[in-house]
Amino acid sequence: TNTTGSYTAKGVEILLNKQSTHFNFWTSYTLSENNYTFKTLNPPTFPNNVDVRHSVDAALIYSYKQFTVGVNWKYRTGTPFTTPKKGDEINDQNLPPTINFGMPNQEYLTNYTRTDVSASYNFFNNRKIKGKITIALLNIFNHKNVLKSYYQIDDTNEHVVNIRNQSLGFSPNLSLRFTL
């Protein structure tokens, strides 16, 4: 359906930060509601594709001389997506066949959570060339976060297949940087 509509986003964000000589701690919470409104559709108002109702982030960083160690934790509620109509998934009156979708964005992905840990060391600090080595362990608990869910018709044109894009699992990273 070709139609014109509007988009509204409202919410609140709270950020707390505490710093000391060697520690830096911050946490934030976001509550938001993001909706589309299309008067010609049913329902006329429904969640936007990027609607994340609740989001929490927290980080703790410790620095001492040339060393820095940090941990970061992220949590957010899942984003909405639209599913096919149960029992009437495919409209084979069209060529090629199309998917009969149900009410827009009425289902939600599972909640997203991730914990990262990193450590870095600065060297050659008093010379013209400065170096930094960093190791980061991303998603240390190997959460299987689904980022997107969508549907397509298989090659036989008889079945609807759910495609689910996942975030990376546990991902170690090592970087070495030199600056002049």
Side-chain angles (χ1 to χ4, degrees), residues 106-125:
Q106 298 302 303
E107 299 291 328
Y108 283 83
L109 296 176
T110 56
N111 297 336
Y112 176 100
T113 186
R114 187 176 104 189
T115 305
D116 303 330
V117 175
S118 66
S120 65
Y121 174 71
N122 293 306
F123 53 94
F124 299 147
N125 276 348

Side-chain angles (χ1 to χ4, degrees), residues 47-51 78-84 101-110 146-151 162-164:
N48 180 288
N49 296 347
V50 294
D51 181 49
T79 55
F81 66 100
T82 304
T83 59
F101 284 101
M103 298 293 225
N105 289 348
Q106 298 302 303
E107 299 291 328
Y108 283 83
L109 296 176
T110 56
V146 178
L147 302 174
K148 183 177 181 181
S149 178
Y150 62 96
Y151 295 86
N162 181 214
I163 309 297
R164 296 168 70 85

Side-chain angles (χ1 to χ4, degrees), residues 8-179:
T8 58
K10 54 187 172 184
V12 63
E13 183 172 19
I14 299 167
L15 173 66
L16 302 172
N17 182 265
K18 176 66 178 165
Q19 293 180 327
S20 68
T21 305
H22 298 291
F23 286 97
N24 183 6
F25 171 76
W26 65 265
T27 186
S28 69
Y29 169 73
T30 304
L31 170 65
S32 68
E33 183 178 20
N34 299 279
N35 289 317
Y36 286 130
T37 299
F38 294 95
K39 293 179 182 174
T40 60
L41 298 182
N42 183 25
T45 300
F46 53 91
N48 180 288
N49 296 347
V50 294
D51 181 49
V52 175
R53 297 293 165 105
H54 304 277
S55 178
V56 180
D57 288 284
L60 177 63
I61 301 163
Y62 173 75
S63 298
Y64 182 74
K65 296 186 180 182
Q66 296 99 315
F67 291 98
T68 302
V69 178
V71 62
N72 180 267
W73 177 75
K74 296 175 182 287
Y75 167 85
R76 67 174 181 168
T77 53
T79 55
F81 66 100
T82 304
T83 59
K85 289 182 181 176
K86 292 197 186 315
D88 186 25
E89 290 89 2
I90 298 177
N91 179 353
D92 53 9
Q93 302 300 311
N94 297 332
L95 288 176
T98 57
I99 297 173
N100 286 325
F101 284 101
M103 298 293 225
N105 289 348
Q106 298 302 303
E107 299 291 328
Y108 283 83
L109 296 176
T110 56
N111 297 336
Y112 176 100
T113 186
R114 187 176 104 189
T115 305
D116 303 330
V117 175
S118 66
S120 65
Y121 174 71
N122 293 306
F123 53 94
F124 299 147
N125 276 348
N126 297 327
R127 300 183 186 168
K128 290 183 180 181
I129 298 175
K130 295 182 180 186
K132 183 176 186 178
I133 187 166
T134 302
I135 184 165
L137 306 175
L138 306 179
N139 196 7
I140 61 172
F141 298 117
N142 200 31
H143 285 282
K144 306 296 183 200
N145 293 307
V146 178
L147 302 174
K148 183 177 181 181
S149 178
Y150 62 96
Y151 295 86
Q152 64 185 31
I153 298 175
D154 71 0
D155 293 338
T156 67
N157 290 332
E158 295 179 12
H159 303 289
V160 173
V161 179
N162 181 214
I163 309 297
R164 296 168 70 85
N165 294 342
Q166 280 191 342
S167 66
L168 291 175
F170 173 68
S171 301
N173 291 276
L174 178 66
S175 71
L176 182 60
R177 182 171 86 182
F178 293 97
T179 54

